[in-house]
Amino acid sequence: MARVYNFSAGPSMLPEAVLKTAQAELLDYHGSGMSVMEMSHRSKWFDEIIQNTEASLRRVLNIPDNYKVGFFQGGATQQFAMVPLNFLTTGTADYLVTGNFSKKAAEEAAKFGTARIAASSKDKNFTYIPDVKAIDYDPNASYIHICQNNTIFGTKYVDVPQVDGIPLVADMSSMICSEPVDVSKYGVIYFGVQKNVAPAGMAVAIVREDLLGKSAKGITPAQIPTMMNYTTLLEKDSMYNTPPCWCIYMTGLVMDYLEHEVGGLEEMKRRNEAKAKVLYDYLDSQDFYHNPVQKEYRSLMNVTFTSPDADTDKAFCAAATEAGFVNLKGHRLVGGMRASIYNAMPAEGVDKLVAFMEQFRKEHQ
Ligand SMILES: *Cc1c(COP(=O)(O)O)cnc(C)c1O
């Protein structure tokens, strides 16, 4: 069996050690005589799984006690709607549009009130992040929403907005656990798990307690659909109904891996920076491939690049697949290529990709 180097933007690679643990525990989880896929979510085994998953997530991300952690179905996209439904208390919020997902989040919020575009980097095709200190925030905004790492355009925030009394809400789907985060800077952090944490099918939200119990202006908390009500679901410890059990289990395994195998998020960051540096240094060292992103805002997780023309891009992706480097085709909005080098991508995967790129360049330049 040969495992490929999978550069998919998501769902994406998981650590091999985690897959092996899941495999070993598949048929008989801890003496239960069944797999996690088959057991009741009210069983003692699952009860322990969900509690351990939350506890290790809290340790890995260093989440303060005044934040609740919940597991939700519907992916990050459902969070785009849940955030305004629950937190748009003044009827208006500030959205920073730095790519496709933040644009979608703003469009979703506009269904429930005003989603004011406080800043955008559309003028330069989302190749940078606006200066967050120079933005005129609305003092009446219920919150400020950002997408901290832009999966499609390959950018990330260096500083995040901090305005007294206005909570910051961040979509961290494609960078969560890639580096330490100061949770106390945020009112809400949410992420779909299928980029850096677990298989597809779940989002995690980390919510500061004082934000709960409210609703968008014009509706009461009781009018929020139950499955979109953070307060209800968090009060029930994500067990109001059947939760995404397998995803919660896998999230727990990945957190254990980060904590005990990697040694925490400082070390994860160091590894991610080293991996990204190899690729960006190579991109900067030649003139066949091109990365369009303003250097200081380059993503550690999603690296975009183009070759001289679209036909060569196509030939590159075909040859790369043949060589065992798969899912390098860029998003249709950007074209070219994108190497997503999440936590689970080993350093040697990036080293070998760069060697392949250089070989391809020699043959085509
Ligand atoms: C992938 C992604 C999403 C969408 O996630 P789904 O779970 O498919 O809804 C949203 N935001 C960001 C930053 C993403 O990378």
Side-chain angles (χ1 to χ4, degrees):
M1 184 203 65
R3 298 232 338 137
V4 292
Y5 292 111
N6 179 5
F7 292 90
S8 171
S12 39
M13 284 182 91
L14 287 163
E16 206 166 297
V18 165
L19 294 175
K20 283 186 170 146
T21 304
Q23 183 182 47
E25 295 180 340
L26 192 65
L27 294 181
D28 176 9
Y29 178 80
H30 291 202
S32 64
M34 57 186 129
S35 77
V36 175
M37 291 185 221
E38 300 166 295
M39 64 180 50
S40 165
H41 60 295
R42 308 281 178 200
S43 65
K44 67 171 184 185
W45 296 284
F46 190 74
D47 193 49
E48 195 178 87
I49 289 171
I50 192 167
Q51 287 190 33
N52 285 344
T53 299
E54 179 177 338
S56 51
L57 193 72
R58 282 185 174 277
R59 285 194 303 273
V60 168
L61 285 167
N62 199 14
I63 300 172
D65 288 344
N66 62 326
Y67 287 76
K68 289 221 180 280
V69 175
F71 306 107
F72 304 92
Q73 300 188 29
T77 304
Q78 180 162 301
Q79 301 290 312
F80 295 168
M82 286 174 68
V83 164
L85 267 169
N86 288 267
F87 305 128
L88 198 65
T89 50
T90 64
T92 186
D94 276 0
Y95 276 74
L96 275 52
V97 174
T98 54
N100 197 48
F101 290 116
S102 48
K103 177 167 166 273
K104 282 188 167 163
E107 286 166 0
E108 208 65 7
K111 295 178 182 178
F112 307 106
T114 303
R116 178 176 168 268
I117 309 303
S120 166
S121 53
K122 190 167 190 280
D123 58 337
K124 290 183 184 153
N125 197 30
F126 302 118
T127 52
Y128 72 103
I129 300 293
D131 177 358
V132 299
K133 293 201 180 79
I135 295 170
D136 241 340
Y137 298 100
D138 177 358
N140 191 38
S142 305
Y143 57 83
I144 299 165
H145 182 282
I146 62 167
C147 176
Q148 193 145 333
N149 181 80
N150 294 282
T151 325
I152 294 174
F153 294 92
T155 60
K156 74 158 194 164
Y157 280 74
V158 181
D159 296 320
V160 296
Q162 290 291 281
V163 179
D164 265 354
I166 306 183
L168 177 62
V169 178
D171 176 356
M172 295 198 187
S173 296
S174 52
M175 54 77 74
I176 193 73
C177 296
S178 64
E179 55 181 290
V181 54
D182 180 356
V183 175
S184 69
K185 284 185 171 172
Y186 302 81
V188 181
I189 292 171
Y190 66 86
F191 52 95
V193 292
Q194 74 275 26
K195 311 288 163 67
N196 223 2
V197 175
M202 184 170 88
V204 176
I206 301 164
V207 183
R208 212 175 63 208
E209 277 169 355
D210 63 286
L211 300 172
L212 292 169
K214 299 169 187 162
S215 58
K217 190 177 179 184
I219 61 167
T220 65
Q223 285 174 307
I224 301 173
T226 307
M227 286 305 292
M228 303 187 81
N229 190 325
Y230 288 111
T231 307
T232 307
L233 296 181
L234 290 171
E235 269 173 4
K236 298 279 184 195
D237 296 322
S238 306
M239 293 280 268
Y240 176 84
N241 71 332
T242 320
C245 300
W246 180 255
C247 284
I248 292 169
Y249 164 67
M250 290 296 288
T251 299
L253 292 187
V254 170
M255 291 306 131
D256 287 348
Y257 171 83
L258 284 172
E259 194 175 6
H260 303 297
E261 304 281 326
V262 175
L265 296 188
E266 278 297 346
E267 171 60 16
M268 199 65 249
K269 178 186 187 192
R270 192 195 63 74
R271 292 185 196 181
N272 284 328
E273 281 176 347
K275 273 189 303 189
K277 184 174 186 320
V278 168
L279 192 42
Y280 285 123
D281 280 356
Y282 174 69
L283 287 168
D284 291 341
S285 73
Q286 47 74 58
D287 59 4
F288 180 76
Y289 304 104
H290 174 67
N291 168 270
V293 174
Q294 208 171 302
K295 278 185 187 167
E296 62 196 299
Y297 300 117
R298 282 171 164 178
S299 169
L300 285 184
M301 297 281 104
N302 310 98
V303 181
T304 63
F305 56 96
T306 51
S307 74
D309 56 68
D311 281 344
T312 313
D313 289 347
K314 222 171 152 180
F316 177 90
C317 289
T321 303
E322 195 69 23
F325 307 102
V326 306
N327 289 321
L328 280 162
K329 190 170 182 289
H331 191 276
R332 61 187 186 284
L333 289 174
V334 180
M337 278 70 74
R338 170 178 50 175
S340 294
I341 49 173
Y342 296 120
N343 287 354
M345 172 60 67
E348 68 163 29
V350 177
D351 295 344
K352 287 183 178 170
L353 174 67
V354 164
F356 170 82
M357 288 169 73
E358 176 59 6
Q359 183 66 31
F360 185 90
R361 182 192 69 77
K362 280 188 190 139
E363 288 164 13
H364 291 81
Q365 191 167 28

